[in-house]
Amino acid sequence: DGGITQSPKYLFRKEGQNVTLSCEQNLNHDAMYWYRQDPGQGLRLIYYSQIVNDFQKGDIAEGYSVSREKKESFPLTVTSAQKNPTAFYLCASTEGAGETQYFGPGTRLLVL
Amino acid sequence: SQQGEEDPQALSIQEGENATMNCSYKTSINNLQWYRQNSGRGLVHLILIRSNEREKHSGRLRVTLDTSKKSSSLLITASRAADTASYFCATDDNFNKFYFGSGTKLNVKP
């Protein structure tokens, strides 16, 4: 059963804490993406990676970090520097440049 | 910014009616895609239209693209209550980076 999985579904962060969101794909896609979605809004690009061991900042990278050590995995860390992290986070992958993006089910991050 | 913008922001229709959503963007594109999002879920790809295409169909969906006006439209014919969702257009640049609009929220009343 191919696709993208994200975990956890809900994540709670305490003040000053770093948290990591997981994204795994078994579609053999090279490119992977992280987006942030605020209520009633569209998607904003945080980071993307076109190949293993390489990634680029998106439009709102401040306060976030990523790694791409394996083709299948692209975890996102929300650091304590991100002052307003409450949002819905979506991971996606594509099979080629400009092709269809496949999305995971999302992780909702809430601040305690 | 290359970000697309959908119009209208919200649309409410009766089941069986057609729904039309529009998307405008600012710079040249390779492809334009439409996605659907049910509340609290991930996005699902609906249709991709390339910059050299003018119209594309998929089931009850019809997409048009006018590159001279930098705009696209998505038509859903004979709408159903299950079509209730948010619809987003997305464009891509030459560097495999995607730009999403803020979406049209469609409500189909049974």
Side-chain angles (χ1 to χ4, degrees), chain A residues 36 46-47 60-66 76-79 82 85 89:
Chain A
R36 170 181 171 140
I46 305 172
Y47 268 99
I60 55 164
E62 188 174 348
Y64 300 97
S65 66
V66 293
L76 173 74
T77 296
V78 184
T79 74
Q82 174 49 247
Y89 291 86

Side-chain angles (χ1 to χ4, degrees), chain B residues 8-35:
Chain B
Q9 290 187 336
L11 181 60
S12 185
I13 59 174
Q14 292 292 139
E15 208 165 25
E17 293 180 341
N18 294 344
T20 299
M21 289 158 257
N22 302 297
C23 169
S24 60
Y25 56 92
K26 295 179 181 176
T27 62
S28 62
I29 60 170
N30 291 321
N31 305 315
L32 187 141
Q33 303 183 44
W34 284 91
Y35 290 82

Side-chain angles (χ1 to χ4, degrees), chain A residues 34-79:
Chain A
W34 274 107
Y35 294 94
R36 170 181 171 140
Q37 186 178 32
D38 291 285
Q41 301 297 311
L43 279 63
R44 291 186 291 167
L45 182 64
I46 305 172
Y47 268 99
Y48 63 113
S49 167
Q50 303 207 50
I51 199 165
V52 175
N53 292 324
D54 187 46
F55 48 82
Q56 289 80 40
K57 292 182 180 180
D59 300 318
I60 55 164
E62 188 174 348
Y64 300 97
S65 66
V66 293
S67 63
R68 187 83 187 279
E69 296 175 3
K70 298 187 299 181
K71 190 175 186 177
E72 306 79 36
S73 179
F74 190 40
L76 173 74
T77 296
V78 184
T79 74

Side-chain angles (χ1 to χ4, degrees), chain A residues 31 33 35 37 40-43 45 48 50 57-59 88 90 94 96-101 103-105 108, chain B residues 3 30-31 33 35 37 39-45 48 50 88 92-93 95-103:
Chain A
Y33 303 78
Y35 294 94
Q37 186 178 32
Q41 301 297 311
L43 279 63
L45 182 64
Y48 63 113
Q50 303 207 50
K57 292 182 180 180
D59 300 318
F88 189 50
L90 288 159
T94 59
E99 296 300 323
T100 300
Q101 286 209 309
F103 283 83
R108 192 165 298 280
Chain B
Q3 192 168 26
N30 291 321
N31 305 315
Q33 303 183 44
Y35 290 82
Q37 183 182 35
S39 183
R41 309 290 291 272
L43 275 70
V44 174
H45 180 258
L48 180 154
R50 303 194 185 279
F88 296 90
D92 71 286
D93 63 11
F95 302 98
N96 208 14
K97 191 175 169 184
F98 291 80
Y99 301 86
F100 286 81
S102 53

Side-chain angles (χ1 to χ4, degrees), chain B residues 30-90:
Chain B
N30 291 321
N31 305 315
L32 187 141
Q33 303 183 44
W34 284 91
Y35 290 82
R36 165 197 169 120
Q37 183 182 35
N38 288 87
S39 183
R41 309 290 291 272
L43 275 70
V44 174
H45 180 258
L46 295 176
I47 198 163
L48 180 154
I49 187 165
R50 303 194 185 279
S51 58
N52 61 354
E53 296 176 313
R54 291 297 166 257
E55 187 170 312
K56 205 160 182 181
H57 297 255
S58 176
R60 292 185 296 113
L61 306 179
R62 173 179 166 249
V63 168
T64 62
L65 178 64
D66 187 336
T67 52
S68 66
K69 294 181 180 177
K70 292 187 171 56
S71 68
S72 172
S73 67
L74 170 67
L75 169 68
I76 303 174
T77 60
S79 63
R80 305 166 182 167
D83 293 328
T84 294
S86 291
Y87 292 82
F88 296 90
C89 68

